[in-house]
């Protein structure tokens, strides 16, 4: 396996926060917003995701939420389908398929997931936008850093944190609404009837959102995100990732000191100022780079003003930077694509095999059988029926086997009253021919058999 080349940064190089970010103070940097192609693409990706997150929780179909993980009903309402706990492996398969898609994207285009669709990145940019609107652009915020807050600056700072807390709370409420029906939850909240558990959960989620996106946002990508740690073993020399063309840009020189031997990089530092994780892409590939393309847009803007070719910083592979052809199809990429296709195919097939009616049967533990008279034997059972999507409310219960069995117990179950409830049943027969025989419980709804559960009928101790 080829290793990613490592470029050692000299210790005597001036710190980034002093040379490249003139509006940074005391180690804290303020992200400068920029515009450009990749920022527009990022917004085209993130705003629909934000709209789906905040809007999908309110969608209902036939009175049921379109997406809800209900613990109370032991069901998952998923886009018009109702899944039981028995169908949970489908979600595991969906997560495996999603992980393979993530790996495929990492091998092909680097950490584009992190830069364009990761919730941490999306909410970080939202919080930065709020900060920019309330306290001004990055240079103004940096000049105010460390100074005593009073008057209008203090009001702006308070307003920023209030808006952060509001967004964090809305995020926590919406996220909780995917596990508890949001209309019921908000109704209880309006009457101050939320349970302590739900209230505590919302407070914790809001606090984590406020801290992650507002206070320690870049630290999550630098220290807490596991994806940034194993990306190095997934990249190869043909992976397209945000890269600085060192051959074209070096040696760096500003316009005043430029000569015939100078590179295109004018050492303006904008690529660092706009980076949400505060790295210098000119130092090479780094684990903290999330491939958001902000540095590309900033650099391209400078190149256009200087009438130079854009692309000094661009999505490029190691092979392309070395003026070599980059392979599109390669074994690792094809392998991830194959596993991803198989996983998605298995999940889609699984959705066609979901269970609408779950049945559990337990024998009476007190006695294997009961002998009523010389010829009549009975077995006692407990039956639980759980109904899910498109299941009729009334379920008819019957038994069948080689002998002539009689069923004593509710012949018809109303799932509105007895869903997921253990009910006693007794099955009897006369003059059994075998000490142990097969017995089937059958469950009908709408004239069709919905489920069948096999058990045994015992007439003799062993």
């Amino acid at each position: 396996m080829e290793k990613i080349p490592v470029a050692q940064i000299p210790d005597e190089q001036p710190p980034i926060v002093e040379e490249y970010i003139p509006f940074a103070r005391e180690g804290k940097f303020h992200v400068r917003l920029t515009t450009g192609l990749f920022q527009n693409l990022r917004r085209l990706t993130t705003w629909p995701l934000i709209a789906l997150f905040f809007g999908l929780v309110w969608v209902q179909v036939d009175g049921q939420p379109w997406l809800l993980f209900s613990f109370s009903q032991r069901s998952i309402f998923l886009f018009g389908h109702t899944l039981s706990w028995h169908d949970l492996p489908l979600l595991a398969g969906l997560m495996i398929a999603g992980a393979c898609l993530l790996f495929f994207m990492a091998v092909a285009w680097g950490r584009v997931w992190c830069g364009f669709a990761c919730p941490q990145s999306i909410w970080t940019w939202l919080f930065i936008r709020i900060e920019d609107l309330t306290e001004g652009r990055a240079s103004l915020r940096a000049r105010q850093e460390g100074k005593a807050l009073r008057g209008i600056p203090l009001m702006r700072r308070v307003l920023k944190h209030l808006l952060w807390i509001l967004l964090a709370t809305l995020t926590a409420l919406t996220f909780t609404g995917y596990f508890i029906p949001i209309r019921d939850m908000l109704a209880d909240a309006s009457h101050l009837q939320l349970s302590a558990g739900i209230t505590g959960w919302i407070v914790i989620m809001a606090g984590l959102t406020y801290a992650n996106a507002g206070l320690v946002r870049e630290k999550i990508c630098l220290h807490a995100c596991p994806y940034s740690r194993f990306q190095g073993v997934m990249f190869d020399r043909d992976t397209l990732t945000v890269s600085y063309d060192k051959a074209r840009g070096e040696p760096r020189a500003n316009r005043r000191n430029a000569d015939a031997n100078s590179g295109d990089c004018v050492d303006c530092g904008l690529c660092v100022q706009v980076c949400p994780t505060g790295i210098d892409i000119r130092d090479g590939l780094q684990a903290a780079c999330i491939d958001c393309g902000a540095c590309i847009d900033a650099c391209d803007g400078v190149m256009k003003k200087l009438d130079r070719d854009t692309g000094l910083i661009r999505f490029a592979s190691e092979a392309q930077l070395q003026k070599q052809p980059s392979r599109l199809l390669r074994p690792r990429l094809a392998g991830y694509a194959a596993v991803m296709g198989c996983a998605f195919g298995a999940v889609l097939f699984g959705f066609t095999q979901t269970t609408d009616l779950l049945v559990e049967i337990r024998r009476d533990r007190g006695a294997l059988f009961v002998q009523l008279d010389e010829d009549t034997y009975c077995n006692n059972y407990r039956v639980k029926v759980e109904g899910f999507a498109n299941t009729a409310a009334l379920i008819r219960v019957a038994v069948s086997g080689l002998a002539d069995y009689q069923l004593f117990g509710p012949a018809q179950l109303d799932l509105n009253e007895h869903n997921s409830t253990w009910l006693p049943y007794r099955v009897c027969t006369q003059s059994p021919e075998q000490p142990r025989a097969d017995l089937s419980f059958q469950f009908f709804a709408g004239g069709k058999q919905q489920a069948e559960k096999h058990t045994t009928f015992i007439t003799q101790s062993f």
Side-chain angles (χ1 to χ4, degrees), residues 375-377 399-408 427-433 437-439 457:
D375 297 325
T376 305
Y377 292 81
V399 292
S400 65
L402 296 177
D404 184 15
Y405 294 109
Q406 291 181 318
L407 178 67
F408 297 91
V427 179
C428 299
T429 187
Q430 293 182 342
S431 302
E433 298 180 358
D438 293 331
L439 175 68
F457 188 89

Side-chain angles (χ1 to χ4, degrees), residues 280-348:
D280 190 342
I281 192 61
R282 296 172 295 183
D283 291 333
L285 179 63
Q286 299 162 65
C289 178
I290 61 174
D291 282 340
C292 64
C295 56
I296 299 179
D297 290 331
C299 185
D300 284 350
V302 173
M303 292 296 105
K304 290 177 181 178
K305 291 180 180 179
L306 298 177
D307 293 327
R308 299 179 183 179
D309 293 336
T310 59
L312 178 60
I313 301 176
R314 64 185 185 276
F315 272 92
S317 66
E318 179 189 348
Q320 291 174 341
L321 292 177
Q322 296 174 356
K323 309 302 181 183
Q324 298 176 0
S326 184
R327 297 175 302 166
L328 177 62
L329 299 177
R330 44 200 190 272
R332 186 186 300 183
L333 195 62
Y336 283 129
V339 175
M340 178 181 62
C342 292
F344 275 114
V347 170
L348 291 176

Side-chain angles (χ1 to χ4, degrees), residues 53-355:
F53 173 76
F54 285 105
L56 198 58
V57 72
W58 295 96
V59 179
Q60 288 187 347
V61 177
D62 296 331
Q64 293 286 0
W66 214 35
L67 181 59
L68 179 69
F69 301 86
S70 176
F71 290 101
S72 61
Q73 301 182 44
R74 302 173 65 186
S75 303
I76 302 172
F77 300 94
L78 189 65
F79 308 132
H81 298 275
T82 304
L83 305 180
S84 70
W85 56 267
H86 188 74
D87 300 316
L88 282 178
L90 289 177
L91 297 184
L94 197 60
M95 293 179 65
I96 293 173
C100 291
L101 175 59
L102 196 65
F103 299 158
F104 176 85
M105 294 173 62
V107 175
W109 303 288
R111 296 182 65 189
V112 291
W113 157 262
C114 297
F116 289 82
C118 174
Q120 170 66 27
S121 298
I122 292 175
W123 260 251
T124 292
W125 285 112
L126 287 177
F127 275 56
I128 291 174
R129 286 281 176 187
I130 292 175
E131 192 172 39
D132 197 73
L133 288 172
T134 54
E135 295 193 280
R137 60 184 184 273
S139 58
L140 293 176
R141 300 198 303 269
R143 285 197 293 269
Q144 187 61 40
E145 195 70 34
K147 296 182 180 179
L149 289 175
R150 60 174 64 91
I152 294 180
L154 177 60
M155 294 177 60
R156 288 176 175 269
R157 181 68 59 86
V158 171
L159 177 60
K160 178 189 74 172
H161 285 281
L162 288 177
L163 291 177
W164 278 3
I165 293 173
L166 176 61
L167 178 56
T169 303
L170 291 176
T171 302
L173 286 170
T174 303
F175 183 77
T176 308
Y178 286 101
F179 299 89
I180 301 171
I182 192 166
R183 291 173 173 81
D184 298 340
M185 182 176 61
L186 292 180
D188 291 341
S190 64
H191 294 89
L192 302 179
Q193 295 179 350
L194 273 183
S195 66
I198 297 176
T199 302
W201 168 261
I202 293 174
V203 171
I204 291 173
M205 281 298 302
L208 289 175
T209 304
Y210 171 80
N212 289 350
L215 304 180
V216 295
R217 48 200 176 204
E218 73 279 355
K219 300 298 188 297
I220 299 298
C221 298
L222 287 169
H223 305 296
C225 178
Y227 186 45
S228 65
R229 295 296 176 263
F230 62 74
Q231 68 161 345
V233 299
M234 305 182 70
F235 286 11
D236 56 34
R237 66 188 315 271
D238 298 306
T239 298
L240 295 176
T241 185
V242 174
S243 305
Y244 168 66
D245 193 342
K246 188 174 182 179
R248 173 185 162 188
E250 302 294 330
R252 307 171 194 173
N254 57 40
R255 298 186 66 182
R256 294 180 180 178
N257 301 327
D259 55 33
N261 297 322
S262 299
D264 281 349
C265 180
V266 295
D267 210 15
C268 63
L270 286 179
C271 56
V272 185
Q273 297 172 19
V274 300
C275 178
T277 58
I279 66 169
D280 190 342
I281 192 61
R282 296 172 295 183
D283 291 333
L285 179 63
Q286 299 162 65
C289 178
I290 61 174
D291 282 340
C292 64
C295 56
I296 299 179
D297 290 331
C299 185
D300 284 350
V302 173
M303 292 296 105
K304 290 177 181 178
K305 291 180 180 179
L306 298 177
D307 293 327
R308 299 179 183 179
D309 293 336
T310 59
L312 178 60
I313 301 176
R314 64 185 185 276
F315 272 92
S317 66
E318 179 189 348
Q320 291 174 341
L321 292 177
Q322 296 174 356
K323 309 302 181 183
Q324 298 176 0
S326 184
R327 297 175 302 166
L328 177 62
L329 299 177
R330 44 200 190 272
R332 186 186 300 183
L333 195 62
Y336 283 129
V339 175
M340 178 181 62
C342 292
F344 275 114
V347 170
L348 291 176
F349 175 76
F351 273 105
T352 65
Q353 306 296 317
T354 56
T355 304

Side-chain angles (χ1 to χ4, degrees), residues 42-53 122 126 129:
R42 181 176 56 79
R43 295 185 187 101
L44 287 176
T45 303
T46 58
W47 283 114
L49 292 176
I50 294 171
L52 283 175
F53 173 76
I122 292 175
L126 287 177
R129 286 281 176 187

